[in-house]
Every structure is written in structure tokens, then in C-alpha cells.
Amino acid sequence: MNNSTEDSLKKITKGAGIAFIGIIISKLLGYIYRILVARTDTEIYGLLSIGIALFSLLSTISLLGLNNGVLRYVSFYKGKEDPERIKKVIKFCFKIALPISIFVSFLFFVFSEQISVYFFHTQELTVVFKIIAFTIPLVVFRDIIFSIFQAFQKIKYEVYSKNITENITKIILTLIFLVWGFKLIGFTLAYVLGTLCGTIIAFIFLKKKVLPSLKTTGTDKSGDSALKKELLIYSFPLLFNFIIYSLITWIDTLMLGYFRTPYEVGIYNAALPTAFLMYIIPSTLLTLFIPILTELYAKDEKESFEELHRRVTKWILSANLILLGVFYLFSEQILGILFGKDYVVGSSALIILSTGYFIGYLLASTTKLLVVIKKTKLVFVNTVIVVIINIILNFYLIPLYGINGAAIATAFAFFIRFVLLFIQSYTVIKITPFRLNHFKILSSAIISFIILKYLIDYLSIKIGILHIIFLSILFILIYLALLIVTKSF
């Protein structure tokens, strides 16, 4: 392994460590917020979940994919040591995205009642939509700032503003509104005001800590039009990609709201974010993946480029197998302890979803590589195929099987995503993502699971939170021992 690869791995590991701490804090605090709402009333939790789902989709549309344009081009010009163009990219993205987000927010506010009644068959969602509409410009502004943080490899500022400030504010305000007797409106206001606080803190960090490091003269006017055109051409396919990706994330919730009841949406949205913990490891490892890979790409260091892909794929596989095993062993207990006994019926959906996410995120790094080498149209095609499959399956399976039907649709869609990325890793990027070591890791996890499953069945005990902690630690220890024996590290 050459020095460039080693340095890049160190940067990724350091960035992943900071991001991991931030995401763990975020997930913990986010779970507390969700649990507070979910334990209050399952139907209210379902209504709020529908509101957040639609708001997230509209925020993605408003971004126009420019947050990814910022990430790629700021990283690229950072590698080229060109602060003038970095500043131009940032200013241009803000000027385009913010007016569009305000317009989308206005339309969502005006037509909130019609959307609530005609699509989700309830008047109660109107007030949720009207309140949450104000969050769209905030999230667009905030997400562009976060892309700047990532491009400059300043992940800690995103952790401080989003993962900590935003979530703590939501929890505090939720408790206050709960004491005052405001439930649905109060929970929605807590979500909006928490986002506002996080955005303000992010902007302060941007102004005080990041932008002052750019030493520009402001005299370079060359190539402005070409740069803007290139940025839009790069970002525009990613706009549709991320719209469609948001559909994959939220279409289950929205279609459950259309075909079934807010109660079932509430149950499903206990299983969904729990299964989505599968994204913690990939997202933390990939936080600095694009900026670091883009710098290597700009310097034409192909060997380091390829080695990073293989190494990160191995890390994702090794870590997520632990979480998947825990979900398989304790799905009912996890939902029952965290959300309450009413949510235990979502355990099958949790197992199905976690399996789908595990498979789908194995090659998350491949998608990032395609973005770095400007194959954004291919990324778009992949996502279109996946979302069409997901929508078709949801259309047929949700009316028949409810939340399990939605889970099956998502899991199968992520499996197709894996197949597409696996083929493209060979044919487009010319990198083999898996080696023999990967199969030894998988075998170690399967053997560890069988041992724990046999032990649990043999003991025939009622599993509580302490049992889950102890047995999960035992599972990890057996797994690590097998990795050592098979020389898989």
C-alpha cells in the first residue's frame, strides 16, 4: 500500500470517527424524539411521519442536486488549490437553490389542504403540512453548508450543528409541548424549530471557521459561464437521482398513508428508522470518501483510488454484519422496548428491511466512485430502475400485506441496486469489489449467529434489555474471534 493510499485511509478513518460519533449521537437523540412521539399516540406518529416524508421529498427537489455539485467541485478545486473557483461554486449554488426552495415552500403551504384530503384522506395533515412547509428553505440552505463542510473535510461542524444542536432542540421542545398539551402541532413545531436552530449554528460555523480560510482576490472573472454550465450539467442528473432516491426512502410511508391508515404508517416508521441504522457505517465511512477520492482523481493516482474502494467495501461488510445479526436475533424485543408493545407487530418488517439495506449498502462506495468519475447519468439510470421496481411492488404488495408488503418492496429494490452496482464495478470502474476475505467474513458472521441462536433457544429465557446487551456483546466477541482465526482482518 503506497503512502498516498495510507494517508487517504487515515483521513477517511479520522473523518469516519468524527462522523460516527456524530451519527451515533444523532441517532440516539433522534430515537428519543421518535420514541416520545410514538409512545404518545401511534396515529399521531403516523401523521407526523407522512409530513416528514413529503417535506423531505420536496426539500430534495428544491436542492436541484447542487449540494452534490458543491461537494464535488469544491473538493476538486481544493485539490487544484484554486480558491477563486471554490468561492464562485458556493455563491452560484446558493443563488440558484434558495429562490427555488422558497417557491416550492410557498406552493406546499398553499395546497396543503388539497394534498392532505385528496391524497391521504384526512384533514388533520393540513396543519402539519402548513407548519413544516417553512422548513424547506432552511434544509436547502443547511444541506449546501454541510456539503461545504464535507468538501473542506470539516465534519465536526456538521456534527455540532445538526447531530447535536438540532436534535437536542427537538427533544427539549417536544417535552415542553407535551407538558403544555400540544401533541401533533407541538411535535411538528419542535421539528421545525429544531431545524432552524441547527441551520443558524451551521451558518455561524461557515462564516467564522470555513470561509475565512479562502484567500481570494476576487479579480479572476475567466470561465464563469463555463463553470456554471459544467456545475449544472453535473448536478442536474443528480437532482433526479436524489429525488428518486428520496422516493425509495419515503415512498413506502407515502403509499402506506394512501392505501392504509396512519396507525399502520406509525408501526412501519418504528421498523424503518431502526433498519436504517444499517446506513450508519456506510455513511460515516463515506463522509470524506468523495472529497478524498476527487483529490486523488485530480492528481491521477489510480492505484490509491482503487485500493480505497476495496478497503471501504470490506469495512462496510464487516461492521454491518454485526448489526444485521442483532436485528435477526432480537427484532421483537428491540421494537417492544424502544417503542412499546403495540409496535412488536413490525418485527417482520424490521427483519425484511434490514436485510434489504444490508445488501443495498454493501456497494455504497461504488455509487460514490461513479459520481467522482462523472458518471452521474449512470447513477441516475440505476436509481430510476430501482424506484420504478419499488413503486410497482408497493402498489401490489401494500394492499395485500400492509407493512410487510412495503418492506418486501423496499428490500427487493435494494437488492436490484446491489446487482446493478456489482455489474458496473466490473464493467465501468474496472474494479473488483469483493475478494476471498469478504466471504470468510460472511462465514464468520453466520457461524456466530448460529451459535447465539442455539444458545438463546436452549436457555428459553424471556429476553430483556440486559439480555440483549449481554448477548450482543457475546455475538461480537465470537465474531471477532472467528475473524482472527480466519485471518480476515
Side-chain angles (χ1 to χ4, degrees):
M1 184 166 59
N2 60 40
N3 291 333
S4 180
T5 304
E6 188 174 345
D7 290 342
S8 297
L9 281 170
K10 286 179 179 178
K11 287 181 183 179
I12 288 176
T13 306
K14 182 181 178 181
I18 296 170
F20 181 75
I21 294 170
I23 289 179
I24 289 296
I25 293 171
S26 176
K27 289 297 180 183
L28 177 61
L29 296 176
Y31 250 75
I32 293 172
Y33 170 73
R34 284 180 174 272
I35 289 167
L36 285 172
V37 179
R39 284 184 172 271
T40 301
D41 187 287
T42 306
E43 186 169 338
I44 285 177
Y45 181 49
L47 291 169
L48 183 62
S49 297
I50 293 171
I52 293 173
L54 192 53
F55 142 77
S56 300
L57 180 60
L58 293 175
S59 299
T60 302
I61 294 171
S62 302
L63 267 168
L64 297 177
L66 289 170
N67 56 325
N68 296 283
V70 166
L71 181 57
R72 198 270 175 190
Y73 281 89
V74 170
S75 300
F76 184 82
Y77 289 121
K78 181 172 175 286
K80 294 288 186 182
E81 298 181 354
D82 189 345
E84 296 286 352
R85 290 188 181 273
I86 290 174
K87 215 155 195 176
K88 287 175 183 178
V89 168
I90 293 171
K91 286 182 178 179
F92 178 68
C93 289
F94 277 130
K95 285 180 180 179
I96 295 294
L98 285 178
I100 291 174
S101 69
I102 293 170
F103 179 68
V104 172
S105 175
F106 172 75
L107 290 179
F108 188 33
F109 182 88
V110 169
F111 294 104
S112 58
E113 184 173 0
Q114 289 86 339
I115 296 170
S116 178
V117 173
Y118 295 127
F119 285 92
F120 300 104
H121 323 297
T122 175
Q123 188 74 38
E124 288 183 278
L125 272 171
T126 302
V127 67
V128 175
F129 290 161
K130 284 186 180 296
I131 294 171
I132 216 164
F134 291 98
T135 318
I136 294 173
L138 290 175
V139 168
V140 168
F141 184 67
R142 183 200 68 182
D143 284 357
I144 291 176
I145 293 176
F146 290 163
S147 291
I148 298 170
F149 290 162
Q150 290 177 32
F152 279 91
Q153 298 167 28
K154 302 290 185 181
I155 306 302
K156 60 183 179 180
Y157 299 134
E158 181 176 348
V159 172
Y160 298 152
S161 55
K162 181 183 179 182
N163 298 341
I164 298 176
T165 302
E166 187 173 311
N167 283 297
I168 288 178
T169 305
K170 286 178 185 177
I171 291 171
I172 293 172
L173 291 176
T174 298
L175 289 170
I176 291 172
F177 286 125
L178 197 56
V179 171
W180 288 349
F182 296 100
K183 292 185 178 180
L184 184 58
I185 294 176
F187 299 150
T188 309
L189 283 171
Y191 188 90
V192 172
L193 294 174
T195 304
L196 174 62
C197 289
T199 304
I200 292 171
I201 298 298
F203 180 68
I204 292 171
F205 281 129
L206 179 70
K207 292 287 287 182
K208 300 291 185 182
K209 300 293 185 180
V210 178
L211 292 185
S213 65
L214 285 176
K215 305 298 182 183
T216 59
T217 62
T219 57
D220 181 14
K221 302 294 182 182
S222 62
D224 280 14
S225 298
L227 175 62
K228 292 174 183 178
K229 182 179 178 181
E230 185 179 356
L231 181 60
L232 288 174
I233 291 173
Y234 174 86
S235 301
F236 202 62
L238 290 178
L239 160 65
F240 292 101
N241 178 68
F242 280 90
I243 289 173
I244 296 168
Y245 189 79
S246 292
L247 278 173
I248 295 173
T249 305
W250 295 109
I251 195 67
D252 305 359
T253 295
L254 296 174
M255 292 186 75
L256 272 170
Y258 180 79
F259 284 114
R260 310 289 281 210
T261 65
Y263 176 84
E264 288 178 87
V265 174
I267 297 293
Y268 188 74
N269 274 273
L272 184 65
T274 306
F276 203 68
L277 293 174
M278 282 288 175
Y279 191 54
I280 287 182
I281 297 300
S283 63
T284 53
L285 287 173
L286 298 176
T287 300
L288 295 183
F289 199 61
I290 284 185
I292 289 172
L293 275 180
T294 305
E295 288 186 31
L296 293 174
Y297 186 67
K299 297 173 183 176
D300 198 30
E301 297 186 17
K302 294 180 181 179
E303 184 180 340
S304 299
F305 192 84
E306 294 178 3
E307 181 60 28
L308 284 178
H309 176 42
R310 296 191 184 99
R311 190 66 63 89
V312 170
T313 300
K314 179 182 176 181
W315 288 348
I316 291 171
L317 171 68
S318 303
N320 269 356
L321 278 169
I322 296 173
L323 196 55
L324 184 66
V326 171
F327 286 155
Y328 270 50
L329 290 167
F330 309 115
S331 59
E332 292 185 8
Q333 292 83 359
I334 289 171
L335 291 179
I337 292 169
L338 290 176
F339 291 91
K341 61 181 181 180
D342 290 343
Y343 293 87
V344 172
V345 295
S347 60
S348 296
L350 173 57
I351 291 173
I352 297 167
L353 284 169
S354 60
T355 304
Y357 286 144
F358 170 77
I359 296 170
Y361 290 132
L362 271 179
L363 293 180
S365 57
T366 302
T367 299
K368 302 298 184 183
L369 285 179
L370 290 171
V371 170
V372 169
I373 64 175
K374 295 187 178 183
K375 298 293 183 180
T376 54
K377 291 179 182 178
L378 187 57
V379 174
F380 170 63
V381 171
N382 289 346
T383 315
V384 168
I385 292 170
V386 171
V387 80
I388 289 174
I389 291 171
N390 196 14
I391 290 173
I392 292 172
L393 289 176
N394 272 316
F395 184 81
Y396 283 102
L397 295 176
I398 288 176
L400 292 174
Y401 304 109
I403 61 173
N404 287 336
I408 293 169
T410 295
F412 187 77
F414 271 83
F415 172 74
I416 296 300
R417 179 177 185 264
F418 169 83
V419 172
L420 291 172
L421 290 173
F422 183 79
I423 294 170
Q424 288 156 10
S425 186
Y426 276 105
T427 59
V428 179
I429 308 174
K430 310 296 184 183
I431 298 176
T432 306
F434 298 114
R435 290 180 174 175
L436 178 61
N437 243 8
H438 294 82
F439 296 101
K440 292 194 290 184
I441 293 168
L442 179 62
S443 300
S444 299
I446 292 172
I447 294 170
S448 303
F449 172 81
I450 292 171
I451 293 171
L452 258 292
K453 182 63 176 172
Y454 176 80
L455 180 61
I456 292 169
D457 292 342
Y458 177 77
L459 293 175
S460 298
I461 56 175
K462 184 178 180 181
I463 302 295
I465 188 168
L466 293 178
H467 296 101
I468 292 175
I469 295 171
F470 173 76
L471 292 170
S472 296
I473 293 172
L474 183 58
F475 173 75
I476 293 170
L477 291 175
I478 296 171
Y479 175 56
L480 292 176
L482 289 172
L483 290 181
I484 294 170
V485 169
T486 58
K487 299 180 180 179
S488 298
F489 277 115

